Amino acid sequence: MGQGLWRIARNQQLQQQGYSGQGYLTREHGRRIPANNVSNTSHRKQAQGGIDIYHLLKTRKSKEQEGFINLEMLPPELSFTILSYLNATDLCLASCVWQDLANDELLWQGLCKSTWGHCSIYNKNPPLGFSFRKLYMQLDEGSLTFNANPDEGVNYFMSKGILDNSPKEIAKFIFCTRTLNWKKLRIYLDERRDVLDDLVTLHNFRNQFLPNALREFFRHIHAPEERGEYLETLITKFSHRFCACNPDLMRELGLSPDAVYVLCYSLILLSIDLTSPHVKNKMSKREFIRNTRRAAQNISEDFVGHLYDNIYLIGHVAA
């Protein structure tokens, strides 16, 4: 009895909303659609809200039938622009579909130079059978070899004609490359001080604030984990390079390379003091000024105070 009354009430509700017992009915602009068109209309309108589901499904189905865009049908400039966003792995996969486009030398040349900014072979006449795709594979293999054994990696680059046997060329390669393991690179530079000298001269610290210049320096040449002769060598080379890049500032502040050396050591110690969780009593600005001026007497208090503020706000110089 209850179920029968529920069906009667439900049928009345459906009739008021545009339904019938035989199918789905709608009204558009006062016109009644016959019930035999239920199968077509049910895809066109959602019962609530009137969203055109039929059009969405039709569009999606047509896109699925079309599949991927054929890059060969596009203008070459547009196709190369799209492929230039791919890395080497994806570009190799794309070459399985669009062989002529994905194997283009300009694309692989861009990949080589964006990853390894400088190689001696870039400035030479390419040998017979040269291709940038093959060069990319050799550069990748050499980088992996370097990260396992730096000396073997450099020898590999030289054996393939990628690098000349010159400290300056090796330094430029290191300066423009970000794929080398920094721990292995630190070991290599500690052994090859001639390469280290040329690497330091590639930095331009003109018009840079001292702590910021020191951060940039240690981003390329990572500081050792412990104090020692190598760290002293790095700070000494940085001090002379910073003074050479800013002669007017050095005269204005009355600083010498020895004074910059003292400031660099003070900044490193201050960085450790302020950032280490093991140091309970942090060094105050007044203490830093007093200690620094005790070591380098010609430095103004305002300049030393700005150094403290930079470390306090930005953080470690050799992180």
Side-chain angles (χ1 to χ4, degrees), residues 271-289:
S271 300
I272 298 173
D273 186 274
L274 295 182
T275 59
S276 175
H278 303 291
V279 179
K280 301 298 182 181
N281 299 320
K282 305 297 184 181
M283 184 183 299
S284 67
K285 187 174 183 178
R286 183 179 298 274
E287 291 173 337
F288 178 72
I289 294 175

Side-chain angles (χ1 to χ4, degrees), residues 28-135:
E28 295 181 358
H29 305 292
R31 181 169 56 87
R32 190 179 183 86
I33 300 177
N36 56 4
N37 291 335
V38 171
S39 60
N40 293 331
T41 340
S42 62
H43 292 291
R44 296 182 183 178
K45 298 291 181 182
Q46 191 177 13
Q48 298 178 356
I51 300 176
D52 197 343
I53 301 298
Y54 173 77
H55 178 70
L56 294 177
L57 293 175
K58 184 178 179 181
T59 304
R60 180 179 178 183
K61 184 177 180 180
S62 63
K63 287 184 178 180
E64 290 176 352
Q65 291 175 350
E66 291 176 0
F68 292 103
I69 298 175
N70 188 358
L71 295 182
E72 294 178 347
M73 303 299 294
L74 299 176
E77 296 82 1
L78 182 57
S79 300
F80 289 137
T81 302
I82 294 173
L83 292 175
S84 66
Y85 287 96
L86 302 181
N87 56 31
T89 303
D90 293 336
L91 196 57
C92 288
L93 294 175
S95 66
C96 299
V97 181
W98 303 290
Q99 184 173 3
D100 293 336
L101 290 173
N103 287 330
D104 188 84
E105 281 291 276
L106 288 177
L107 291 175
W108 287 99
Q109 180 181 359
L111 275 177
C112 289
K113 293 189 176 182
S114 63
T115 309
W116 299 274
H118 175 82
C119 293
S120 303
I121 198 172
Y122 293 161
N123 302 320
K124 298 179 180 179
N125 293 326
L128 186 64
F130 172 83
S131 73
F132 276 99
R133 178 171 180 171
K134 180 181 177 181
L135 177 62

